[in-house]
Amino acid sequence: MGRYVGHSVKRREDPRFIQGKGRYVANLELHGMAHVAVKRSPYPHARVVGVDSSAAAAMDGVIAVFTGRDFADGGCGALPCGWLVPDTKVPERPVVVTDRVMHVGDSVAVVVAEDPYTASDAVEAIEVEYESLPSVVDARGTTDADAPQLHDGIEGNVSYYWKLGDSEACKQAFAEADETVELELVNQRLIPTAMEPRAAAASWDAASEEMTVWTTSQNPHPIRLLLSAFTLGIPESKLRVISPDVGGGFGSKIFHYPEEVIVPWVARQIGRPAKWVATRTESQMTDSHGRDHVTVARLAMKSDGTFTGLDVETWANQGAYLSTFAPLIPTALYITLLAGNYRTKGVFGRVHGTLTNTVPVDAYRGAGRPEAAYLVERLVDLAADRLGRDPLDLRKQNAIRKEEFPYQTPVAFLYDSGDYDRLMSTAAANADYDGMRRAQEEAREEGRLRGVGVVCCIEASGPAPSAVAGSLGSAVGFWESGEVRVHPTGQISVFTGSHTHGQGHETTLAQVVADELGVPLESVEVVHGDTGRINFGMGTYGSRSACVGGSALVRSAEKVRAKVVKIGAHLLEAAEEDVVYDRDAGRVHVKGSPDRAKAFGEIAFAAYTAHNLPEGVEPGLDFVSFYDPENFTFPASSHICEVEVCPETWQVRILRYVAVDDVGKVINPMIVEGQIQGGVVQGVGQALTETAGYAEDGSFLTGTMLEYAVPRADLLPGIEVDRIETPSPHNPLGVKGAGEMGTIAATPAVANAVLDALRPLGVKHVELPLTPERIWRAVRDAQSAAA
Amino acid sequence: MNHRVCLKVNGEARDVEVEPRLLLCHLLRDELGLTGANIGCDTSQCGSCTVLMDGKAVKSCTLLAVQADGCDVTTIEGLAGENGLHPIQQAFWDNHGLQCGFCTPGMILTAVEILDRNPCASDAEVRHGLEGNLCRCTGYENIVKSIVAAGARESA
Ligand code: FES
Ligand code: FES
């Protein structure tokens, strides 16, 4: 533990938020700013026969109306996909459609007006003539022979097929199995629902030909790259992208969206700044969604409970187009996690990435890993049921042992470190697992439906070694940059390519640098989210900011220290090897003579006056590092949930939720706990309340928060959070990442608990979310099957 | 066509001409430059836009600006007194009651009302009192903790 690292330092970003001074894009007011609104398709699939914008264009206060043709002719390129597995077929995704809409919400025309009210009036006044075409929304149904063919040259609506694992070993495991369990399940479509709807603003300087774009993005540099190289065509050197305060992302704000192109294009066209702010409904129907898998799987085991094989086939709905990283999620972030925390040898997985008339699907908190965890952890519970074993006990039997790390799974990943047995024991102790089971017995005797759900989950975080990412289909590298700039006064600006949209990097990254240099936290300022100030960066997702972004800063701080030692020794008239950098006091002193010292600030000043520098040392004190991780990190968790299901209303009530996580070393325990708590509630949301709906005819059913039920404050009675620490051995901070573990573990923990509660009624499976209606139907079906 | 609206915002008298359909949240944000009230939805579900009107927590997206005529409105910008933070703001800071901060102004102003009604509100009562406010980041744990702590401090 350092002076700051390891401590619950209060967040430095909070004062502005609690006083209402958050700098969200929607709050931006630029001189002469026009307002943009988008005309969207109400059809899931239709030919655009004609767009009549004359009435809209004639309205008072309307500056211009643009159609898809204007954007295509005006130099806007198609939105690219940045992750292509072999033989991916990519449907063309225009910024604004010219002749065909592919999902409800697809953009058809753009209005620019003096104020937002007029802009939305004008959108209503645009007449679009559509010719409706047959549509399909189902992940697997879209591959049926009678499904409409959506894109020329993409046979059967399959964009790609990907497989991984040892199919022979898997076959053999099933041939020799004593027992097998099978499961077909849907991992339902979710809407990430960051509380801040997406927004973009832009300002064009005609004299310098420089464009500034403000956008609600988790990664402004990749957005600049895509704008420059593909969609907008303004050189990166003339393009500045700023992501100021962003009101939550959860993955949905990683991707390059049409409006990020539309707004700067419009600003240049009309010679005035412009802004677009999504309504909630627009966000719900155009933000990339998450999950949406249909999976058939089976697990092979020996009669003693040893898991020997896992065979998985998944249809992953990618939506109408491939969003920026879409193919990554159900491939390298899903199939690779199917070994879970277990020693199963014969793991084999395959996935069909399919296209439908729905909004694109891409990363949402956990991204692929929750889908894997939910599947594996449901199968393990079915296995325990089949074998008549306690589910915790069966997990412990199959868990990878702590002495087996680094552990090579049969599906590519090399797990870095862990202690799953201790993780589960800690969760069991914290929950009083045996007591919960006894209470369950008593409840059952009284006719109450009580259940206990236990899970052990794995995550691959901190993406990613760039060469590995490249070999798996990435078009970009996944290193991170970090710059430590010491000013002449000894104050420090830290520039990170990571972006904080709630995670608290302005605090945690300052903790890291302050400790590395032995300076007060107050003297370190963290700068992020601005391509004009930070040289490059890959942004924030996949719980990567501490392990990759933080490590880059450690590297830069090491370089600063080395130079400070050099200059300090020179000023002390000592040899370099005769001085030490005292990280507690932030100074350099002669070994054995702590009084012969130079303070950090003095040395920083000397570096800039350059009056007296050692031979060959350049002035200045500013270092950048680009840190490319050696491996992913592998956080793990064991969560236990206790529920009761009301046998009259079939309502699920969570009685207790106990979470124990191993996210490696912890920089700020308070922030890590907050990440786990928030993550858990999102995972519980998937289990109990959330589902993004398309009717069979393709119309979108969950356009508001009335229909899409994100958890409210009373969904859980509270969350008991604890952790163990097995440091990641391959990054300098030993951290693993805390952003997603809660979400990954919570969905199966709740699902297992509810199905455990329903076990006496003969219910084996209920699709998520576990609403009273679904539970009631499942119970009724089980009872009529038994009768 | 425009209507004249006279109201008090954060203690200051304001006299504005507005379109009849202008929402209070837009008056505050776009005309008066008080962007602390965030807009998170179109259907009055999220509570991000909450302000105090005559001491009551209201969702400023559900009111027309003209309905605020003659009213006394407090936004998050006006909550703190001369001497620093309001105790609830302080409690949110102390207890990590926020992550992205988008729901925070609405949460804090709703908390004012919850604690006005009952400064000793329990964990469960606070959870119930927050039924009209959504947060996607915190899982509510530390929001509830912050409000309970602020109540305990007030009533101590
Ligand atoms: S913006 Fe007012 S309740 Fe959501
Ligand atoms: S802190 Fe982000 S929505 Fe509540």
Side-chain angles (χ1 to χ4, degrees):
Chain A
M1 224 190 279
R3 188 154 140 223
Y4 301 111
V5 170
H7 297 280
S8 291
V9 175
K10 279 205 314 186
R11 295 206 324 171
R12 309 170 83 201
E13 40 271 86
D14 285 2
R16 69 175 183 272
F17 294 121
I18 55 181
Q19 297 181 86
K21 294 178 190 157
R23 302 157 305 183
Y24 304 104
V25 176
N27 298 352
L28 204 67
E29 201 49 57
L30 301 166
H31 184 69
M33 188 169 76
H35 296 266
V36 173
V38 180
K39 178 79 175 176
R40 299 187 183 279
S41 168
Y43 287 93
H45 192 197
R47 209 164 65 75
V48 177
V49 181
V51 180
D52 180 359
S53 56
S54 52
M59 287 171 71
D60 248 6
V62 169
I63 299 163
V65 181
F66 299 107
T67 62
R69 258 291 124 240
D70 297 318
F71 287 91
D73 296 345
C76 285
L79 292 151
C81 177
W83 192 291
L84 302 176
V85 301
D87 304 320
T88 306
K89 298 184 189 69
V90 186
E92 166 119 343
R93 184 185 188 186
V95 168
V96 179
V97 307
T98 48
D99 55 356
R100 196 162 61 125
V101 291
M102 296 303 300
H103 65 87
V104 172
D106 222 351
S107 34
V108 181
V110 170
V111 167
V112 191
E114 295 294 345
D115 70 275
Y117 281 53
T118 306
S120 73
D121 287 348
V123 161
E124 292 305 314
I126 296 174
E127 297 281 348
V128 184
E129 191 187 332
Y130 295 101
E131 180 192 314
S132 179
L133 297 169
S135 66
V136 58
V137 297
D138 181 65
R140 185 165 51 176
T142 190
T143 62
D144 290 350
D146 59 354
Q149 174 73 30
L150 300 184
H151 299 275
D152 288 343
I154 307 183
E155 189 110 356
N157 300 325
V158 177
S159 171
Y160 59 85
Y161 171 74
W162 197 80
K163 60 185 191 317
L164 183 70
D166 187 339
S167 64
E168 283 311 309
C170 181
K171 253 190 218 134
Q172 194 185 342
F174 279 92
E176 295 168 1
D178 296 328
E179 290 284 356
T180 62
V181 287
E182 288 183 27
L183 182 61
E184 176 169 342
L185 59 72
V186 173
N187 198 300
Q188 85 268 34
R189 179 180 279 251
L190 300 176
I191 307 178
T193 322
M195 289 309 300
E196 176 203 32
R198 284 190 297 115
S203 166
W204 169 246
D205 184 329
S208 65
E209 301 195 315
E210 284 174 333
M211 179 71 83
T212 306
V213 179
W214 291 262
T215 178
T216 50
S217 175
Q218 302 176 212
N219 30 243
H221 289 88
I223 297 301
R224 183 183 62 172
L225 171 61
L226 295 171
L227 279 168
S228 180
F230 295 94
T231 49
L232 192 60
I234 293 176
E236 276 173 296
S237 53
K238 296 278 193 189
L239 186 56
R240 179 175 178 191
V241 177
I242 301 173
S243 293
D245 286 328
V246 172
F250 316 112
S252 69
K253 292 172 180 167
I254 298 170
F255 322 116
H256 189 26
Y257 285 100
E259 298 82 2
E260 276 164 342
V261 188
I262 292 172
V263 174
W265 187 89
V266 162
R268 186 173 53 181
Q269 207 69 20
I270 65 171
R272 286 170 60 175
K275 180 167 85 171
W276 165 82
V277 180
T279 63
R280 171 54 56 190
T281 299
E282 276 185 296
S283 255
Q284 304 277 97
M285 70 178 172
T286 65
D287 290 6
S288 286
H289 292 171
R291 321 282 192 255
D292 205 343
H293 285 189
V294 175
T295 294
V296 183
R298 43 192 198 131
L299 178 70
M301 67 205 111
K302 292 296 184 189
S303 52
D304 72 351
T306 307
F307 304 155
T308 54
L310 176 63
D311 184 22
V312 174
E313 181 167 17
T314 291
W315 289 261
N317 193 342
Q318 300 278 270
Y321 311 106
L322 293 181
S323 170
T324 316
F325 288 114
L328 158 66
I329 315 307
T331 59
L333 289 182
Y334 167 67
I335 302 284
T336 51
L337 273 304
L338 288 173
N341 308 58
Y342 309 112
R343 307 161 86 202
T344 323
K345 288 279 177 284
V347 182
F348 179 59
R350 48 212 189 282
V351 59
H352 311 262
T354 62
L355 299 168
T356 58
N357 296 109
T358 60
V359 78
V361 176
D362 207 321
Y364 163 55
R365 201 169 194 171
R369 293 149 292 181
E371 293 90 313
Y374 174 57
L375 177 68
V376 171
E377 291 301 288
R378 282 298 306 131
L379 281 167
V380 173
D381 261 30
L382 290 179
D385 192 26
R386 171 71 54 84
L387 298 165
R389 293 277 302 276
D390 175 82
L392 178 64
D393 195 48
L394 184 63
R395 283 178 169 82
K396 283 193 164 196
Q397 177 189 338
N398 283 284
I400 297 160
R401 319 260 185 264
K402 103 169 179 252
E403 57 280 4
E404 290 175 317
F405 291 96
Y407 179 86
Q408 179 62 57
T409 74
V411 271
F413 277 147
L414 182 72
Y415 293 174
D416 56 352
S417 64
D419 186 347
Y420 305 151
D421 196 271
R422 179 153 66 97
L423 197 59
M424 285 186 268
S425 297
T426 310
N430 290 3
D432 181 18
Y433 181 72
D434 296 337
M436 276 186 178
R437 286 293 179 201
R438 280 194 301 274
Q440 179 181 32
E441 278 309 304
E442 285 162 23
R444 277 184 181 162
E445 275 159 28
E446 291 165 14
R448 286 183 291 133
L449 299 171
R450 190 177 275 222
V452 179
V454 42
V455 293
C456 192
C457 297
I458 183 82
E459 179 189 0
S461 291
S466 298
V468 174
S471 73
L472 289 169
S474 176
V476 291
F478 282 98
W479 44 265
E480 193 48 87
S481 85
E483 176 177 356
V484 176
R485 183 182 301 165
V486 184
H487 302 290
T489 54
Q491 299 292 116
I492 297 166
S493 295
V494 165
F495 300 87
T496 177
S498 306
H499 184 271
T500 178
H501 30 280
Q503 299 89 337
H505 301 162
E506 291 172 33
T507 307
T508 45
L509 296 179
Q511 286 176 261
V512 168
V513 172
D515 268 1
E516 286 297 321
L517 298 178
V519 298
L521 190 70
E522 299 68 48
S523 64
V524 183
E525 212 55 56
V526 176
V527 180
H528 66 94
D530 183 350
T531 66
R533 299 186 70 189
I534 298 130
N535 54 59
F536 207 93
M538 292 309 296
T540 289
Y541 37 81
S543 308
R544 70 192 300 274
S545 298
C547 28
V548 192
S551 297
L553 289 171
V554 172
R555 292 278 182 266
S556 292
E558 283 166 356
K559 293 176 191 167
V560 168
R561 271 208 314 270
K563 187 162 178 181
V564 164
V565 163
K566 237 187 200 77
I567 298 172
H570 178 76
L571 296 176
L572 290 164
E573 294 174 348
E576 214 181 305
E577 47 285 1
D578 292 336
V579 302
V580 286
Y581 193 113
D582 177 353
R583 276 168 66 178
D584 292 326
R587 57 182 200 162
V588 173
H589 66 75
V590 176
K591 271 185 200 157
S593 319
D595 293 347
R596 282 186 60 203
K598 287 282 170 198
F600 181 81
E602 285 178 82
I603 299 170
F605 195 66
Y608 282 93
T609 60
H611 295 165
N612 181 17
L613 290 178
E615 182 88 26
V617 170
E618 288 177 9
L621 197 51
D622 185 354
F623 288 97
V624 188
S625 301
F626 289 71
Y627 180 84
D628 200 359
E630 250 173 59
N631 189 1
F632 288 80
T633 56
F634 295 89
S637 61
S638 182
H639 291 194
I640 296 178
C641 177
E642 184 180 40
V643 302
E644 207 160 296
V645 180
C646 172
E648 272 147 27
T649 64
W650 303 105
Q651 190 79 39
V652 175
R653 191 159 62 94
I654 295 179
L655 306 176
R656 270 184 85 195
Y657 195 98
V658 176
V660 180
D661 292 86
D662 176 5
V663 298
K665 285 272 187 209
V666 165
I667 298 168
N668 186 320
M670 173 191 83
I671 287 178
V672 165
E673 271 175 32
Q675 287 293 314
I676 301 291
Q677 292 161 347
V680 163
V681 173
Q682 285 189 12
V684 175
Q686 169 161 28
L688 294 183
T689 64
E690 297 179 34
T691 185
Y694 283 92
E696 220 165 293
D697 71 359
S699 50
F700 184 52
L701 304 174
T702 46
T704 77
M705 286 173 161
L706 269 171
E707 297 97 9
Y708 191 81
V710 303
R712 293 179 182 279
D714 59 2
L715 187 65
L716 277 95
I719 305 164
E720 299 161 54
V721 176
D722 195 4
R723 63 171 189 276
I724 69 165
E725 283 184 16
T726 64
S728 173
H730 63 76
N731 69 58
L733 291 164
V735 296
K736 291 183 174 174
E740 297 161 294
M741 207 61 252
T743 307
I744 292 167
T747 307
V750 174
N752 281 351
V754 172
L755 284 150
D756 187 46
L758 299 175
R759 208 141 59 95
L761 303 177
V763 174
K764 296 271 182 224
H765 182 66
V766 186
E767 297 290 10
L768 306 180
L770 302 167
T771 57
E773 187 195 338
R774 288 180 185 215
I775 294 174
W776 170 73
R777 283 184 196 283
V779 170
R780 195 193 52 182
D781 292 350
Q783 282 169 346
S784 61
Chain B
M1 268 296 273
N2 279 0
H3 287 242
R4 187 166 163 215
V5 177
C6 301
L7 73 171
K8 223 167 167 198
V9 181
N10 298 332
E12 212 179 303
R14 308 299 286 249
D15 191 338
V16 286
E17 294 265 322
V18 302
E19 253 191 274
R21 63 173 173 170
L22 187 75
L23 296 174
L24 178 59
C25 58
H26 291 134
L27 169 68
L28 295 170
R29 292 176 51 83
D30 303 340
E31 317 277 325
L32 304 181
L34 296 166
T35 53
N38 292 313
I39 299 177
C41 72
D42 331 320
T43 48
S44 308
Q45 245 79 47
C46 76
S48 305
C49 64
T50 304
V51 299
L52 297 176
M53 195 154 106
D54 296 332
K56 281 216 190 58
V58 298
K59 293 178 174 176
S60 63
C61 72
T62 61
L63 289 166
L64 296 168
V66 291
Q67 290 175 286
D69 190 35
C71 292
D72 190 346
V73 173
T74 304
T75 70
I76 191 72
E77 290 92 340
L79 184 65
E82 292 293 284
N83 34 10
L85 300 174
H86 184 280
I88 298 177
Q89 289 172 318
Q90 184 69 44
F92 269 68
W93 191 10
D94 293 345
N95 293 286
H96 190 28
L98 58 147
Q99 290 183 20
C100 79
F102 197 80
C103 71
T104 312
M107 289 287 177
I108 290 175
L109 292 166
T110 304
V112 170
E113 190 185 68
I114 294 173
L115 295 179
D116 263 355
R117 275 202 304 256
N118 178 11
C120 309
S122 68
D123 186 286
E125 284 161 349
V126 169
R127 286 180 190 275
H128 183 72
L130 291 176
E131 66 180 356
N133 291 71
L134 296 174
C135 173
R136 192 58 158 166
C137 298
T138 63
Y140 304 99
E141 279 297 290
N142 290 338
I143 293 178
V144 175
K145 193 169 151 197
S146 304
I147 298 172
V148 170
R153 251 186 60 176
E154 260 174 56
S155 52

